[in-house]
């Protein structure tokens, strides 16, 4: 039986989007509503590793600017556990500009802050990457940052060419990581999610 506490809990942390690796659908275009995903299975709203074959996009994303959103959190999951996150100020935001360094409130990476200087911090990203949080780029062998979603399209660098795209690359340590390194400091998440809290 659903209680008022369950309802309040949902309002405090509503899932707006869950991206699935390897499904050959653009994360960016699905989030922005440029590509409509197939109807998501029930398993697509879980952060567990599932047989989900699509992305999940909450229909309320299209109502974003009319919702009383206070915070937005992007989270990465591996083996069903949260491995990284960034929380943003969601007040007066739209579906693109909430993902901005100036809106950062908290992060699992101590050096991802509003005052950090970034080479790129953007949903649109570059080189067939989206949701990019990059420190600097000095050619393919020296791309360093915290987060990059590898989109299904062909990328610019050898490290973009991986099977089962989209892929979710992230720094598994409290520092930037060189994306080409493939060291244990570079993680690959099994799900990416966007949650919102309301005023």
């Amino acid at each position: 039986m659903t209680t008022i506490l369950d309802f309040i809990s949902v309002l405090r942390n509503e899932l707006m989007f869950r991206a699935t690796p390897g499904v050959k659908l653009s994360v960016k275009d699905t989030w922005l509503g440029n590509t409509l995903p197939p109807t998501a299975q029930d398993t697509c709203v879980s952060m567990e590793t599932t047989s989900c074959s699509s992305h999940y996009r909450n229909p309320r994303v299209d109502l974003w600017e009319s919702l009383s959103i206070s915070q937005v959190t992007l989270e990465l999951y591996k083996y069903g556990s949260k491995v990284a996150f960034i929380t943003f100020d969601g007040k007066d935001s739209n579906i693109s500009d909430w993902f901005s360094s100036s809106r950062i409130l908290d992060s699992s990476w101590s050096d991802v802050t509003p005052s950090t200087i970034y080479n790129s911090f953007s949903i649109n990203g570059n080189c067939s990457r989206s949701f990019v949080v990059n420190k600097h780029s000095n050619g393919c062998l020296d791309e360093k940052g915290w987060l990059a979603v590898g989109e299904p399209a062909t990328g610019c660098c050898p490290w973009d060419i991986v099977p089962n795209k989209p892929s979710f690359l992230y720094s598994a340590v409290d520092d930037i990581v060189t994306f080409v390194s493939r060291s244990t400091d570079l993680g690959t998440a099994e799900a990416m999610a966007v949650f919102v809290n309301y005023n």
Side-chain angles (χ1 to χ4, degrees):
M1 179 172 152
T2 303
T3 67
I4 187 66
L5 290 178
D6 294 326
F7 179 71
I8 291 169
S9 177
V10 168
L11 286 182
R12 285 189 181 147
N13 211 23
E14 183 175 9
L15 177 64
M16 300 301 266
F17 187 68
R18 193 265 202 196
T20 303
V23 297
K24 297 179 173 52
L25 291 172
S26 168
V27 174
K28 177 187 73 173
D29 288 342
T30 304
W31 168 254
L32 295 176
N34 300 328
T35 299
L36 294 178
T39 302
Q41 306 100 312
D42 290 343
T43 53
C44 290
V45 298
S46 168
M47 298 308 123
E48 300 290 332
T49 303
T50 66
S51 59
C52 180
S53 61
S54 184
H55 303 313
Y56 166 75
R57 186 179 189 269
N58 189 325
R60 285 165 59 83
V61 173
D62 294 326
L63 305 174
W64 189 278
E65 292 180 50
S66 67
L67 303 174
S68 297
I69 295 171
S70 60
Q71 292 184 356
V72 186
T73 303
L74 182 143
E75 299 179 352
L76 297 173
Y77 288 81
K78 190 161 190 170
Y79 307 124
S81 296
K82 183 166 52 176
V83 292
F85 74 90
I86 309 174
T87 300
F88 302 87
D89 180 353
K91 296 184 187 88
D92 301 317
S93 66
N94 60 41
I95 65 170
S96 297
D97 71 6
W98 62 269
F99 191 82
S100 166
S101 61
S102 64
R103 290 180 173 270
I104 295 171
L105 297 176
D106 193 16
S107 174
S108 56
W109 298 289
S110 61
D111 48 357
V112 172
T113 69
S115 60
T116 300
I117 297 172
Y118 302 92
N119 168 255
S120 178
F121 199 120
S122 167
I123 286 177
N124 287 324
N126 55 29
C127 285
S128 300
R129 301 171 205 141
S130 63
F131 291 90
V132 171
V133 182
N134 210 31
K135 178 66 175 173
H136 74 253
S137 175
N138 189 25
C140 289
L141 298 179
D142 198 28
E143 292 253 10
K144 295 182 179 180
W146 298 267
L147 172 65
V149 172
E151 292 284 3
T154 303
C156 300
C157 296
W159 61 267
D160 289 308
I161 304 168
V162 295
N164 303 318
K165 290 173 84 175
S167 59
F168 313 127
L169 301 177
Y170 70 97
S171 172
V173 294
D174 190 21
D175 199 357
I176 57 175
V177 66
T178 303
F179 288 114
V180 76
S181 68
R182 300 299 181 192
S183 74
T184 55
D185 291 351
L186 180 66
T188 304
E190 295 171 342
M192 184 186 92
V194 177
F195 290 92
V196 298
N197 290 350
Y198 297 100
N199 293 327

